[in-house]
């Protein structure tokens, strides 16, 4: 069974995650330029970034679970190749939204530094492992770069469908009118 509109939970998760992801990406790009000095400024911003990253990790798991449980929204009427491209792009968006918090968290686990969740120190899960930390940091960074590109593609596809083809995409993201 398919529906013409996204449900309230799907819309809320979409927009909440969009705001948090854009904020996390901006914060992540800004904070990598902070100097490694003894002031603790860099560490405090990294802890803020890690805390919100863990929240996003939980939200993407919730979003995936909800996507499996909710009724499907009918795909746009378009060529099969474009439908496959849209499905593939959405799958890659979800994969990256999972890879980023997971690689960030595991990279932190292997960094040798304590992980704090909004100030609360989490238990140490593993010993410092520089090779794993470096690999996971690279995965985290390149996932972020790929996600930035896919977000740009997502926005461009939205603009094309909404404003050039004049398909009512915004209607799919709005609540149904009262009866």
């Amino acid at each position: 069974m398919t529906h013409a509109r996204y449900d309230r939970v799907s819309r809320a998760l979409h927009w909440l995650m969009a705001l948090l992801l854009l904020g996390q990406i901006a914060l992540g790009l800004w904070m990598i330029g902070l100097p490694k000095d003894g002031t603790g400024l860099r560490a405090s911003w990294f802890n803020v970034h890690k805390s919100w990253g863990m929240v996003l990790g939980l939200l993407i798991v919730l979003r995936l679970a909800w996507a499996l449980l909710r009724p499907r929204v009918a795909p746009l009427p378009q060529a099969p190749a474009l439908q496959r491209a849209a499905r593939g792009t959405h799958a890659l968006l979800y994969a990256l939204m999972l890879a980023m918090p997971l690689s960030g968290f595991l990279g932190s686990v292997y960094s040798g530094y304590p992980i704090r969740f909004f100030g609360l120190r989490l238990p140490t899960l593993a010993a410092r492992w520089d090779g794993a930390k470096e690999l996971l940091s690279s995965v985290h960074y390149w996932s972020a770069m790929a996600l930035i590109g896919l977000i740009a593609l997502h926005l461009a596809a939205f603009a094309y469908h909404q404003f050039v083809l004049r398909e009512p995409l915004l209607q799919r993201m709005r609540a149904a009118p009262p009866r």
Side-chain angles (χ1 to χ4, degrees):
M1 180 170 157
T2 60
H3 290 272
R5 298 173 192 269
Y6 288 94
D7 60 273
R8 185 177 314 219
V9 173
S10 297
R11 291 190 316 267
L13 285 170
H14 176 274
W15 292 114
L16 176 62
M17 289 191 67
L19 289 171
L20 290 175
L21 276 169
L22 292 175
Q24 275 291 84
I25 289 169
L27 176 60
L29 293 173
W30 172 76
M31 69 184 197
I32 58 175
L34 291 175
K36 293 180 181 179
D37 57 20
T39 66
L41 178 67
R42 182 180 169 97
S44 65
W45 280 111
F46 267 74
N47 284 323
V48 168
H49 184 73
K50 290 174 189 182
S51 295
W52 283 110
M54 287 184 266
V55 169
L56 276 163
L58 293 172
L59 284 173
I60 190 58
V61 169
L62 176 64
R63 188 168 175 188
L64 283 167
W66 185 252
L68 293 173
L69 296 173
R70 68 170 163 76
R72 305 300 311 158
V73 175
L76 293 174
Q78 57 188 354
L82 289 176
Q83 285 184 357
R84 283 191 301 277
R87 277 194 310 273
T89 301
H90 279 101
L92 195 49
L93 278 167
Y94 277 100
L96 290 170
M97 287 187 288
L98 275 171
M100 285 191 47
L102 185 59
S103 61
F105 180 78
L106 290 174
S108 294
V109 164
Y110 293 118
S111 71
Y113 295 105
I115 301 172
R116 297 186 185 279
F117 183 72
F118 296 109
L120 175 67
R121 186 176 174 158
L122 300 182
T124 301
L125 299 176
R128 182 180 178 136
W129 182 10
D130 291 336
K133 164 67 174 128
E134 291 305 313
L135 173 65
L136 290 161
S137 291
S138 291
V139 169
H140 189 69
Y141 176 81
W142 289 110
S143 293
M145 294 300 110
L147 187 61
I148 290 168
L150 278 179
I151 290 170
L153 180 62
H154 184 68
L155 292 171
F158 162 76
Y160 176 73
H161 284 278
Q162 182 70 37
F163 303 115
V164 175
L165 298 179
R166 299 199 183 280
E167 295 171 337
L169 291 186
L170 288 175
Q171 297 302 325
R172 295 162 55 99
M173 289 296 282
R174 290 189 181 142
R179 295 177 190 211

